[in-house]
Amino acid sequence: MDFFFEPRGIALVGATGTPTKGGYAILKNLMTGFDGGIYPVNPRYREIEGLPCYGSVSQVPDPVDLAIVFVPGRLVPGVIRDCAERGIRGVMIESGGFAESGEQGKALQDEVAETARAAGIRLWGPNCMGLVDTKKRRIFSFVTPTIWNELKTGEVSLIVQSGMLSGAFLIDSMTHGIMGISKVCSIGNKMDVDECELLEYLIDDPDTGTIGLYLEAIPEGRRFVEICRRSPKPIVVLKGGRSPKGAAAARSHTASLAGDDRVVAGALAQAGVIQARDFKQMMDICRALSMYPDIQTGGRGRVAVLTYTGGAGIVSADFIDEMALELADLSPLAREALKSVFPDWMPVSNPVDLWPAVERNGAEAAFGTAVRAVCADPGVDAVFLHAFAGGFALDPNIEFLAGVAKSAGKPLFCWLLGEATDAKDFQVRAQEMGVPVYREIRRALECVEAVFVRKRMSETRAFAFPSGEPLALDSETVSLIETGSGVLDEYDSKKILRAGGIPVVTERVVKSVQEAGESASRLGFPVVMKGLVPGGIHKTESGLMRLGIDSAEAAVRGFDELSRIMEESGKVLIQQQVEAGLELIAGFLRDPQFGPCVMIGFGGVLAEVLNDVAFAVAPLSREEALRLLDRLKSRRLLDGYRGAPAADREALADILTSLGELGSVYPAVQEIDINPLILSRGKPVAVDASVILKK
């Protein structure tokens, strides 16, 4: 990476003297900030902006170890060959017209990649805006040179797959006085250098405190997760393309439920990454985490809201209730301190409406007393201050308040309204004091939530996939896995699950009406009868399910009916009817980006309707499996609902770890689908299942 971040000299291939061209903007940016050798390359010029211009890369003098390329795509393969002959080890291709433009562009990109690989050259891009390093004043990009007027350094570094978006991020953030930036890495098509390498570099970079990424794909998902797990620095990811793209229907519930990028979300959460949902939110969360990377207060996120208007306090309380935060219960000492500035008729509660106190004592005394009181309260983890700049005598002394909060070790966040000029001045002053300021209540609280979610993640995440004795199955089960192909029927599927230590319902395959009646009687009524057709999964929709069989005679009739529907080409399965309980779905899949993954959710026949599932990269430790259960939106159902027994979470965790091991140890296993996994008196048991093996 030093070719790109610490070059001694740069050859700019495609430099031009035309001010409206990108090759001119790159040159001006290099001349403004880079203190190494700058060598324009363009056979049409002898000199540009006072610098000698060279006809080809081969003529460029030493030292030079980076080439920035901004020429039409068709010329790039020749440039790469010239760089190889000249001994240049790093090439940053900012030109477009490659894989993003269609099949012809993809073929061109493949040619460039192969040429570089053979020559031992590292490639950054193409179709990107290159690199901006504000602290070292290096702009290796065609971003407008007017950026130098607003260049503001900070602790946040960005890795952005989009080209123009990275420049937009930079200019928008700096010109609005919102935040400073350390580095912006625009990587475009990721022909060679990708987010994993850059993430590793930024984790070790002393100028970077928080890392934000916009990615459209994470092809090395498993490596990316491992890097994020090890990172001591906060990481925020905005993943584009989360929704399904109309791909062919998956063969199992497990795979179909993963179709909207929930595997990515689960893997990122497992690795301690905060996931954003839009660009501004990503920047705002990065800003909050850069100001509060390692908070010392409790991880529950108990918030004291200090407002000048009851309506804003109510809205804040509503949002807090929706998020992974709590409205703090103020201590008696804090309430007494607040009463000293409140009129006698005003009760003290949280949210704290300070307007009566402001009218009585002035803004400085009211806000100062309130911030001191809640910061001294051990039951308060964070302070959410509402401020108004430019009127109503409500402009608080933000420098003093920030100092109080900092001394107490309590993160302070601010929601701001006001007259435009005064509000911007307040925002700049507050953020210089380390207080993030927002113009929307919800966005402010999303950032509060991110700070505390990150704290909880950093305290609980695992730093390596578990490594212990691999799961060992009996020889019969191993043979079934190694010789089987495609979708196994329910009976064979549950043989594998049972061998892996997963509890399954007691059942038998029967081959005659006599055997059906006898087996049903031995299992004990009521029983369930199912028809198993090769390659079939969804028996209910095919009419191959019979519930509540309560006699031998009914079992005989059921056998005849199922045999007739299957035209005697399948199996008839009889199993104990499990006592009704909460229905879950659990499974395993082999994701193309993240490898072996497990899932858990609420389901049965309503799996798609409930739409509440969570994924994690496998294999899992027991602790990770338990945390996976807590990522379900409806997780409180597991604690017992309307008198129902609570779920045995330890048993569920065992099932998830076993699923992960089955798929991780035996690569022939492509998918496992347990639906439903019934909580019978709180104990999970697999009632229906399918295993899909590699053909």
Side-chain angles (χ1 to χ4, degrees), residues 520-521 524-529 547-555 557 577:
S521 299
F525 299 107
V527 296
V528 175
M529 300 185 71
L547 299 173
I549 302 293
D550 57 3
S551 66
E553 293 75 15
R557 290 195 301 273
Q577 184 161 313

Side-chain angles (χ1 to χ4, degrees), residues 367-553:
F367 279 94
T369 299
V371 171
R372 283 194 298 267
V374 298
C375 283
D377 188 339
V380 172
D381 298 322
V383 182
F384 184 30
L385 175 70
H386 295 180
F388 188 94
F392 301 115
L394 274 172
D395 192 350
N397 184 338
I398 189 61
E399 288 81 4
F400 172 77
L401 301 181
V404 171
K406 185 175 182 179
S407 297
K410 302 287 176 80
L412 174 63
F413 299 80
C414 186
W415 170 61
L416 176 67
L417 294 180
E419 187 275 330
T421 302
D422 289 340
K424 183 170 183 179
D425 175 69
F426 180 95
Q427 182 172 11
V428 171
R429 288 189 292 116
Q431 295 186 163
E432 287 175 350
M433 296 298 298
V435 177
V437 178
Y438 306 91
R439 304 307 301 272
E440 295 179 356
I441 291 175
R442 182 178 185 88
R443 177 55 50 78
L445 288 168
E446 286 173 347
C447 293
V448 178
E449 179 185 41
V451 166
F452 283 94
V453 167
R454 197 262 168 179
K455 176 180 174 65
R456 292 193 285 269
M457 285 177 168
S458 65
E459 291 173 345
T460 58
R461 65 183 171 179
F463 285 88
F465 293 114
S467 58
E469 289 297 320
L471 181 69
L473 302 181
D474 61 88
S475 58
E476 181 182 350
T477 306
V478 172
S479 176
L480 175 59
I481 292 173
E482 292 179 347
T483 60
S485 175
V487 183
L488 299 186
D489 66 36
E490 178 182 339
Y491 183 68
D492 285 341
S493 295
K494 283 191 284 194
K495 275 185 182 179
I496 295 174
L497 298 186
R498 186 182 293 109
I502 295 173
V504 301
V505 64
T506 303
E507 59 190 15
R508 293 188 177 90
V509 170
V510 295
K511 300 179 180 179
S512 66
V513 291
Q514 180 179 353
E515 193 176 351
E518 292 174 352
S519 293
S521 299
R522 283 197 296 270
L523 287 173
F525 299 107
V527 296
V528 175
M529 300 185 71
K530 300 176 180 179
L532 308 183
V533 178
I537 291 179
H538 305 300
K539 292 173 281 293
T540 302
E541 294 87 338
S542 304
L544 295 175
M545 179 87 74
R546 298 291 184 273
L547 299 173
I549 302 293
D550 57 3
S551 66
E553 293 75 15

Side-chain angles (χ1 to χ4, degrees), residues 31-247:
M31 293 175 66
T32 303
F34 182 57
D35 56 5
I38 303 172
Y39 311 113
V41 176
N42 189 327
R44 296 190 295 119
Y45 292 88
R46 291 179 177 270
E47 177 186 292
I48 303 177
E49 292 291 321
L51 293 175
C53 191
Y54 302 89
S56 69
V57 172
S58 62
Q59 300 171 5
V60 170
D62 286 325
V64 58
D65 36 27
L66 173 64
I68 298 177
V69 178
F70 199 74
V71 297
R74 68 182 185 280
L75 302 179
V76 173
V79 172
I80 300 298
R81 286 190 288 271
D82 289 345
C83 289
E85 292 178 6
R86 179 63 184 77
I88 296 175
R89 299 291 305 282
V91 177
M92 186 177 287
I93 306 172
E94 300 187 16
S95 319
F98 293 89
E100 80 282 0
S101 64
E103 287 301 316
Q104 188 173 353
K106 184 179 183 305
L108 178 62
Q109 181 166 311
D110 291 343
E111 178 188 353
V112 170
E114 180 55 38
T115 302
R117 192 161 37 245
I121 289 176
R122 298 305 311 274
L123 297 179
W124 178 309
N127 185 35
C128 70
M129 288 192 69
L131 168 67
V132 174
D133 184 338
T134 67
K135 295 208 172 183
K136 294 181 179 174
R137 295 180 61 79
R138 294 173 179 174
I139 299 184
F140 303 164
S141 172
F142 59 88
V143 63
T144 172
T146 59
I147 192 175
W148 291 97
N149 300 327
E150 302 287 347
L151 204 61
K152 181 180 179 183
T153 64
E155 303 299 321
V156 176
S157 288
L158 303 174
I159 300 171
V160 185
Q161 190 168 344
S162 173
M164 288 301 295
L165 186 59
S166 57
F169 270 149
L170 193 63
I171 294 169
D172 184 81
S173 297
M174 290 182 173
T175 57
H176 285 78
I178 294 174
M179 64 186 292
I181 297 290
S182 177
K183 294 177 176 64
V184 179
C185 307
S186 169
I187 53 178
N189 294 9
K190 303 190 296 186
M191 185 189 302
D192 177 16
V193 173
D194 64 9
E195 62 278 353
C196 290
E197 287 182 285
L198 290 174
L199 183 57
E200 288 180 317
Y201 183 90
L202 294 176
I203 288 171
D204 292 332
D205 176 30
D207 294 332
T208 296
T210 297
I211 304 166
L213 302 96
Y214 168 70
L215 300 172
E216 291 159 8
I218 312 176
E220 290 190 81
R222 204 169 184 87
R223 179 185 172 196
F224 185 79
V225 166
E226 284 283 18
I227 296 169
C228 292
R229 283 174 182 250
R230 297 194 303 267
S231 173
K233 299 177 181 179
I235 297 173
V236 183
V237 171
L238 170 58
K239 172 67 171 58
R242 296 190 311 271
S243 59
K245 298 187 185 279

Side-chain angles (χ1 to χ4, degrees), residues 543-604:
L544 295 175
M545 179 87 74
R546 298 291 184 273
L547 299 173
I549 302 293
D550 57 3
S551 66
E553 293 75 15
V556 168
R557 290 195 301 273
F559 182 91
D560 283 337
E561 292 170 2
L562 293 172
S563 298
R564 186 169 59 254
I565 293 172
M566 295 186 294
E567 298 178 349
E568 300 184 355
S569 63
K571 302 175 185 175
V572 175
L573 182 68
I574 297 181
Q575 61 186 208
Q576 289 178 335
Q577 184 161 313
V578 174
E579 183 176 333
L582 187 65
E583 293 191 5
L584 304 176
I585 177 172
F588 168 89
L589 61 85
R590 201 171 296 280
D591 184 78
Q593 295 178 335
F594 293 92
C597 297
V598 298
M599 66 84 69
I600 185 71
F602 293 92

Side-chain angles (χ1 to χ4, degrees), residues 597-671:
C597 297
V598 298
M599 66 84 69
I600 185 71
F602 293 92
V605 295
L606 296 177
E608 294 91 345
V609 177
L610 291 175
N611 200 30
D612 187 3
V613 297
F615 287 81
V617 178
L620 294 176
S621 66
R622 173 183 286 268
E623 292 74 17
E624 286 181 302
L626 290 169
R627 287 196 295 274
L628 181 59
L629 297 174
D630 285 333
R631 293 214 299 270
L632 293 168
K633 296 188 292 288
S634 307
R635 58 189 173 276
R636 283 183 289 185
L637 290 174
L638 299 177
D639 298 327
Y641 181 70
R642 292 191 174 181
D648 185 337
R649 286 176 176 252
E650 295 291 334
L652 286 172
D654 286 340
I655 289 173
L656 293 173
T657 57
S658 295
L659 285 171
E661 287 192 56
L662 277 170
S664 299
V665 174
Y666 298 97
V669 177
Q670 298 300 293
E671 294 176 27

